[in-house]
Amino acid sequence: MDYYHEIKQKLINNEINRSVKEYSINRNDLNTYYNVGKMIIEAQGGETRAKYGEGLIKEYSRRLMQEVNKKYSYRTLSYMEKFYLFQKLQPVVAKSLSWSHYTVLLSLKDNNEIMYYINICEKEHISKRKLIERIKSKEYERLPSKKTNPFNNSQIDRIE
């Protein structure tokens, strides 16, 4: 028996299974958070009334943090709402981005900037930490020319 090759194959299979599992968990997280964002908008009476629903998010957050998990803060629920609105305008759930990537990206105000960094993350497979570094270095702002924003900023920016 060639133990090295057996060991190597076991480790390779484990890495593959881990990647598939992580991808599946991430997809499930993103789908869940998208749907939660959608339900928050609906609970607030729809997109046109959602900007008046801040109190509802605070109430849901308070209850969820007590009953489910402390990670469901007002900020987190607001990101879910913003994630839903962003995906609705620009359906681009990047395969290699995690929820932690999106929480960094959704804190940005310019949708073109968000799209720029999504593309960078996809092409270069950068970590959340590297993404933060690139945003802090104002890489996007140093670009020679920026394209016109194709989005209706009022729908996204009102959640800030």
Side-chain angles (χ1 to χ4, degrees):
M1 173 179 246
D2 185 354
Y3 285 105
Y4 171 78
H5 284 95
E6 289 293 319
I7 291 168
K8 178 181 170 186
Q9 193 58 50
K10 292 270 185 213
L11 293 172
I12 288 171
N13 288 342
N14 185 56
E15 292 298 317
I16 291 168
N17 287 336
R18 212 177 226 190
S19 294
V20 168
K21 188 175 183 179
E22 287 172 11
Y23 173 79
S24 178
I25 290 169
N26 186 51
R27 300 299 309 155
N28 187 56
D29 285 350
L30 294 177
N31 286 333
T32 298
Y33 300 153
Y34 173 89
N35 287 318
V36 168
K38 180 179 180 181
M39 288 188 281
I40 289 170
I41 293 288
E42 290 170 356
Q44 293 169 335
E47 289 178 42
T48 56
R49 295 178 43 93
K51 62 184 163 191
Y52 304 109
E54 187 175 309
L56 184 69
I57 294 175
K58 286 180 182 175
E59 172 62 19
Y60 285 0
S61 169
R62 184 188 61 73
R63 290 172 58 190
L64 288 168
M65 287 182 10
Q66 288 175 349
E67 298 171 18
V68 181
N69 192 319
K70 294 218 181 278
K71 72 179 183 178
Y72 299 116
S73 66
Y74 170 80
R75 184 178 190 181
T76 301
L77 294 181
S78 294
Y79 279 143
M80 291 178 193
E81 180 183 40
K82 190 171 181 181
F83 181 66
Y84 165 73
L85 291 171
F86 184 77
Q87 290 297 316
K88 189 174 170 208
L89 292 173
Q90 183 65 33
V92 65
V93 178
K95 292 179 179 116
S96 65
L97 269 59
S98 66
W99 177 246
S100 61
H101 281 89
Y102 278 107
T103 59
V104 170
L105 292 167
L106 292 171
S107 68
L108 302 173
K109 299 200 185 311
D110 182 337
N111 290 321
N112 282 334
E113 184 176 9
I114 293 170
M115 289 304 301
Y116 171 78
Y117 287 115
I118 286 174
N119 289 331
I120 292 295
C121 289
E122 278 284 281
K123 285 182 199 168
E124 300 178 20
H125 304 285
I126 63 173
S127 66
K128 175 188 170 186
R129 185 179 59 80
K130 290 282 187 194
L131 173 62
I132 292 169
E133 289 173 10
R134 290 178 83 160
I135 291 171
K136 283 184 178 178
S137 75
K138 301 194 183 289
E139 178 178 312
Y140 177 77
E141 293 173 18
R142 293 192 319 266
L143 292 175
S145 66
K146 297 175 194 158
K147 296 178 180 149
T148 311
N149 191 342
F151 305 102
N152 177 356
N153 279 334
S154 62
Q155 288 183 311
I156 299 289
D157 293 341
R158 68 178 163 70
I159 298 172
E160 298 299 325

